[in-house]
């Protein structure tokens, strides 16, 4: 069973483009709220009278919301029409950002950030299923990549602009602006995504059936381990660039924008490559990540090569995203929405895992060139898992 259905004659290229744009707008809003908190931590800490390290827990609260919300919503919302579910998820997202903006205490803000993270994974997962259903089967990975492209673009435009708004008008302005983007997404989804009736065979049990499939767990492990390597490096990108490459603290914003450009290009290219071969894209992406991270410590010693390495890291990692999402929908059969949503839960676990392993390396006294070398090892481990998954496929077909 594939993730796509054959579109009828009424599904024109314009309709597909507008629907994917609506989904990408939601991704842009979600990416902006996820990452702008990092840029405004000092202002937020002052605003609710806490220390900066304590304010960092707000980032964790959002991530926990993603991890918890994605599988719960995808499973319990199985009988809800996908358009209606997308609208509900974005409404919760808007509410979470508004509550974040009006929060006057640390505890209230923690709860608001958790609530804001809850729709994250389910929106991307269900959006990927919707996007894939709009196009022929040989273009489904491209559609998945286009539904998700707003997330990397947010790192180029949304996060810097929202950070500037927060610095100039108060951190609350950033969350209100993101809430406005959520409202625009609501309107776009309402007008540009057609209702998709839920089949009589789709229910909580059918969605949960994905968890009984070994290949679903293999795909989730590939993402968790493979992406863990990238996050082991990216979590410490600011001190790495200032300590090794010699960039000023102010120039780190440019470095992050270069990373965002690499992510955007990788997402677009990854969708095209996955349409040719999903498993081939997984193998190639993991090999590329291992090579980039393995050489990152040396390339980061000079500013020109450091920028090349940062772009390559964002590009190679993002190639994996459409392939992983498509692979999960393929192997989940009746549980596509749950499996696709779980992808984002595991990527957030990879974020936490990579950041923790990188901190262990640094705490042991190694320099900033070493987290990336650890990351290369994780990418190789992810490649081994992918090869095992491919071998399982072959054995299954020979039976």
């Amino acid at each position: 069973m594939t993730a796509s259905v054959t579109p009828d004659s009424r599904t024109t290229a314009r309709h597909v483009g507008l629907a994917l744009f609506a989904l990408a707008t939601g991704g842009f809003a979600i990416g902006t709220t996820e990452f702008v908190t990092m840029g405004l931590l000092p202002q937020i800490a002052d605003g609710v009278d806490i220390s900066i390290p304590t304010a960092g827990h707000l980032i964790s609260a959002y991530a926990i919301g993603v991890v918890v919300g994605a599988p719960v919503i995808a499973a319990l919302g199985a009988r809800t029409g996908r358009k209606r579910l997308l609208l509900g998820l974005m409404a919760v997202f808007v509410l979470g950002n508004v509550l974040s903006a009006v929060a006057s205490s640390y505890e209230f803000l923690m709860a608001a950030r958790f609530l804001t993270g809850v729709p994250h994974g389910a929106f991307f997962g269900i959006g990927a299923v919707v996007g894939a259903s709009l196009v022929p089967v040989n273009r489904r990975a491209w559609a998945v990549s286009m539904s998700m492209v707003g997330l990397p673009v947010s790192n180029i435009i949304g996060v810097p602009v929202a950070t500037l708004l927060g610095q100039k008008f108060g951190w609350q302005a950033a969350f209100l602006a993101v809430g406005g983007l959520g409202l625009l997404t609501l309107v776009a989804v309402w007008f540009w995504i057609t209702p998709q009736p839920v089949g009589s065979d789709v229910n909580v049990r059918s969605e949960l059936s994905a968890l009984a499939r070994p290949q679903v767990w293999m795909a989730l492990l590939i993402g968790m381990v493979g992406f863990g390597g990238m996050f082991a490096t990216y979590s410490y990108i600011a001190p790495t660039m200032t300590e090794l490459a010699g960039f000023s603290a102010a120039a780190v914003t440019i470095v992050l924008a270069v990373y965002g450009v690499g992510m955007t290009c990788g997402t677009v290219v990854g969708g095209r490559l996955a349409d040719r071969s999903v498993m081939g894209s997984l193998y190639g992406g993991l090999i590329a990540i291992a090579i980039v991270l393995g050489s990152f410590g040396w390339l980061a010693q000079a500013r020109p090569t450091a920028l090349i390495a940062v772009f390559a890291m964002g590009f190679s990692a993002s190639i994996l995203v459409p392939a992983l999402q498509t692979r999960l929908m393929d192997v989940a059969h009746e549980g596509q929405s749950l499996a696709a949503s779980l992808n984002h839960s595991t990527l957030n676990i990879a974020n936490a895992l990579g950041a923790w392993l990188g901190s262990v390396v640094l705490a042991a006294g190694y320099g900033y060139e070493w987290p990336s070398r650890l990351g290369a090892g994780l990418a190789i481990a992810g490649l081994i898992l992918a090869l095992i998954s491919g071998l399982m496929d072959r054995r299954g077909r020979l039976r």
Side-chain angles (χ1 to χ4, degrees), residues 344-383:
H344 298 275
S345 291
T346 55
L347 292 184
N348 273 268
I349 294 173
N351 189 343
L353 173 68
W356 175 72
L357 289 174
S359 71
V360 170
V361 170
L362 294 173
Y366 293 92
Y368 282 107
E369 64 270 33
W370 278 97
S372 59
R373 293 168 185 170
L374 169 70
L378 290 173
I380 292 171
L383 175 62

Side-chain angles (χ1 to χ4, degrees), residues 54 76 88 113 148 152 156 206 226-227 231 264 289 323 342 344 365 381:
T54 301
L76 297 183
R113 295 316 292 161
M148 301 173 64
I156 306 172
S206 66
F227 268 90
F231 284 119
T264 304
I289 293 173
L342 278 172
H344 298 275

Side-chain angles (χ1 to χ4, degrees), residues 135-199:
V135 298
V137 67
N138 64 333
R139 299 189 70 206
R140 61 201 167 97
W142 168 81
V144 168
S145 70
M146 290 299 97
S147 73
M148 301 173 64
V149 76
L151 180 62
V153 171
S154 71
N155 284 272
I156 306 172
I157 304 171
V159 175
V161 171
T163 300
L164 288 174
L165 279 175
Q167 291 172 343
K168 187 172 180 64
F169 300 106
W171 57 270
Q172 298 91 338
F175 292 129
L176 285 176
V178 176
L181 288 173
L183 287 175
L184 289 176
T185 303
L186 273 172
V187 174
V189 170
W190 178 269
F191 284 105
W192 293 338
I193 293 181
T194 56
Q196 297 191 347
V198 178

